[in-house]
Amino acid sequence: MIIDGERYANELNIALSEKCNILQKQYGRAPSLHVVLIGENPASQVYVKMKQKRAEEIGVESVIHLLDENVSQKDVLWKIQGLNVDEDVDGILVQMPLPAHLNTEEIIEAVNPKKDVDGLTSANLGKLLRNRATLMPCTPLGCMYLLKQWRSDLAGLHAVIVGRSILVGKPLGLLLSQANVTVTTCHSKTKNLAFHTQQADILIAACGIPNLIGEKHVKPGACVIDVGITKLPTGKLYGDVDFNAVKPVADAITPVPFGVGPMTVSYLMANTILAMEEGVKST
Ligand code: NAP
């Protein structure tokens, strides 16, 4: 089974579009996503355009705030502060990575947790830890959705996650654990990676190393979710999994592109809609 992320994202987008219509009718405006884009990183520009296109298709209003590459920390915080207090702004996303002179941690924490559609502030990650989160990181949510298409009940399975970033590996471990999955996390200091990954009913590759996961890493019948996306100088996109080598061994596998990527964007829109719903509820 090839898990077609594009297809599932499209299904999700139809439901999101319907929600936007309802909110528009009820409150006279669409949910709004404000993206702060700093500098001219070409990959970031592509990602932001992709998000903008998806927002338009679904009916989410998207506004891009372009800041100069050399903008000061103070000015970025000032911009975020303005968006935090603007009642017409539902979601705020600061596109990463930031130029090296900026303090990324401080900028992430400056976002109002109620508008933090990336789910990366300490407040939202803390709530996730306590099992009462509303806004959660988009990529882990997308992975969970795809896994549920493979097996509706994941309880009792063993997942191995390769990667422990705050963006993907760590929050995904929490979500899997909440779904009663037994979780092992591997990272760059893990010894004998294949020994661990071979135990996995669910193998998540989220380390950013093209084709790191080959046939020898996969237990026959496993579900393999490839989060990695690396663009090589040739322009070709690679996942962390050697798709052709792993496909015959796995029961299910996500491709790159058109696997986890479209789901991440859809969950960004879902979080923006949720932020508006929660916001209007509390006013
Ligand atoms: P990151 O912050 O660089 O984290 C990479 C993780 O992989 C770290 O925990 C690192 O271990 C681990 N790692 C590195 N080399 C390893 C090795 N040889 N064996 C085992 N683990 C290793 O990256 P990220 O932000 O999580 O992103 C990971 C990948 O997913 C990237 O390719 C990124 O582009 C992609 N991504 C895709 C989406 C999507 O929507 N599809 C969304 C987000 C990210 P240490 O902690 O020990 O350094």
Side-chain angles (χ1 to χ4, degrees):
M1 172 186 180
I2 293 176
I3 304 176
D4 183 348
E6 184 79 354
R7 186 193 122 199
Y8 291 120
N10 285 337
E11 284 176 11
L12 196 57
N13 294 343
I14 291 169
L16 295 175
S17 188
E18 282 164 11
K19 274 193 173 184
C20 278
N21 281 337
I22 294 170
L23 286 168
Q24 175 76 52
K25 281 193 194 124
Q26 215 168 342
Y27 299 103
R29 70 170 182 87
S32 76
L33 170 65
H34 288 245
V35 178
V36 179
L37 175 60
I38 305 173
E40 289 175 6
N41 180 319
S44 293
Q45 287 174 338
V46 171
Y47 287 136
V48 168
K49 265 197 196 133
M50 229 160 64
K51 289 166 188 170
Q52 201 173 19
K53 185 168 169 277
R54 188 54 55 86
E56 268 168 29
E57 285 164 8
I58 291 174
V60 168
E61 185 200 5
S62 82
V63 182
I64 315 292
H65 301 267
L66 256 180
L67 302 182
D68 188 80
E69 180 84 30
N70 300 311
V71 66
S72 68
Q73 179 81 7
K74 198 169 138 241
D75 285 349
V76 178
L77 295 176
W78 185 246
K79 166 59 77 183
I80 292 172
Q81 213 38 52
L83 298 173
N84 279 345
V85 296
D86 185 337
E87 283 180 3
D88 288 335
V89 173
D90 299 304
I92 303 170
L93 177 141
V94 183
Q95 184 64 43
M96 301 290 162
L98 299 179
H101 69 279
L102 295 172
N103 179 341
T104 300
E105 270 299 301
E106 191 184 26
I107 288 171
I108 290 173
E109 292 296 5
V111 175
N112 178 346
K114 291 182 174 158
K115 301 185 179 191
D116 167 30
V117 284
D118 249 348
L120 292 177
T121 55
S122 300
N124 283 326
L125 288 173
K127 280 187 183 172
L128 178 59
L129 203 59
R130 299 193 73 103
N131 219 346
R132 53 181 182 82
T134 40
L135 297 174
M136 294 179 261
C138 305
T139 303
L141 286 173
C143 291
M144 290 303 294
Y145 187 99
L146 294 180
L147 281 170
K148 296 267 175 71
Q149 308 311 309
W150 173 65
R151 291 268 194 287
S152 53
D153 184 9
L154 303 173
L157 297 178
H158 180 198
V160 175
I161 307 175
V162 182
R164 57 175 168 182
S165 73
I166 203 80
L167 186 66
V168 187
K170 281 185 182 138
L172 182 53
L174 292 172
L175 290 176
L176 284 163
S177 178
Q178 283 168 15
N180 295 317
V181 173
T182 303
V183 181
T184 300
T185 304
C186 299
H187 45 75
S188 67
K189 306 292 186 291
T190 297
K191 292 191 176 123
N192 196 352
L193 182 67
F195 167 79
H196 296 283
T197 58
Q198 278 163 6
Q199 320 294 319
D201 303 308
I202 296 167
L203 177 55
I204 315 273
C207 61
I209 302 183
N211 290 346
L212 177 75
I213 303 298
E215 186 189 345
K216 71 166 185 179
H217 294 90
V218 180
K219 175 164 110 175
C223 177
V224 180
I225 304 284
D226 191 354
V227 178
I229 308 177
T230 306
K231 193 174 188 178
L232 291 188
T234 55
K236 195 165 179 232
L237 290 181
Y238 284 86
D240 292 347
V241 177
D242 182 343
F243 184 84
N244 291 326
V246 168
K247 197 175 83 163
V249 189
D251 182 46
I253 184 168
T254 61
V256 174
F258 309 123
V260 175
M263 295 302 300
T264 297
V265 184
S266 292
Y267 269 102
L268 176 64
M269 302 309 147
N271 274 350
T272 305
I273 292 167
L274 185 59
M276 177 172 174
E277 286 171 336
E278 291 292 310
V280 290
K281 238 195 274 170
S282 65
T283 52

